[in-house]
Amino acid sequence: MVKPVDLKYGIAFGFAGFVITLVGIYYATGMLDLRFPAVIGAGFFGGGFLGSVMRRLHKDGEERKANFIFLALMLIVGIPLIAEYAYDILTGNWKIWKLISIFAFAYLICYGIFRITKSRGVKT
């Protein structure tokens, strides 16, 4: 069950992300376009909410659920990024940060799998 405190943290981070991005884009471009700050605000809301849920799960001793959430997020974000950057590198449009991103996400995915297998209640 989601606690109201977790939801409040998510809303606070989402609103702060929206406002900071809106102000930054206005000063950078001189025009107000609400689409980009809304996406950033939603990202901050989701990140703040999931971060507070994962923190609560770790405090309650349910590390395996928190590790599954971490792995799911890394797979959702990492697999498309790895596929796109690998395609770019293979077609000759490569940058060093793309190569570093591929290795970083591969490491995070492997780390998430390792954490799940080493969680309490798992026999290896």
Side-chain angles (χ1 to χ4, degrees), residues 8-97:
K8 288 178 186 176
Y9 276 117
I11 290 171
F13 281 116
F15 184 72
F18 177 78
V19 170
I20 289 170
T21 307
L22 187 64
V23 169
I25 286 192
Y26 178 72
Y27 283 123
T29 63
M31 59 185 280
L32 283 172
D33 187 12
L34 296 177
R35 292 174 293 178
F36 185 69
V39 170
I40 296 296
F44 274 111
F45 171 76
F49 176 72
L50 284 175
S52 60
V53 168
M54 287 176 62
R55 187 190 77 198
R56 183 180 53 85
L57 286 172
H58 273 288
K59 279 186 175 180
D60 293 343
E62 299 182 21
E63 294 140 8
R64 188 164 186 193
K65 287 182 185 177
N67 292 332
F68 270 120
I69 292 172
F70 174 76
L71 180 62
L73 289 174
M74 288 302 110
L75 289 173
I76 289 170
V77 173
I79 299 268
L81 185 132
I82 289 171
E84 179 182 348
Y85 287 173
Y87 177 77
D88 285 347
I89 289 172
L90 291 174
T91 57
N93 183 20
W94 72 281
K95 306 276 187 221
I96 191 69
W97 59 268

Side-chain angles (χ1 to χ4, degrees), residues 54 66-79 81-82 99-117:
M54 287 176 62
N67 292 332
F68 270 120
I69 292 172
F70 174 76
L71 180 62
L73 289 174
M74 288 302 110
L75 289 173
I76 289 170
V77 173
I79 299 268
L81 185 132
I82 289 171
L99 190 63
I100 292 171
S101 296
I102 289 173
F103 284 114
F105 271 105
Y107 172 78
L108 288 173
I109 290 170
C110 292
Y111 178 72
I113 293 170
F114 173 75
R115 290 288 306 244
I116 288 172
T117 58

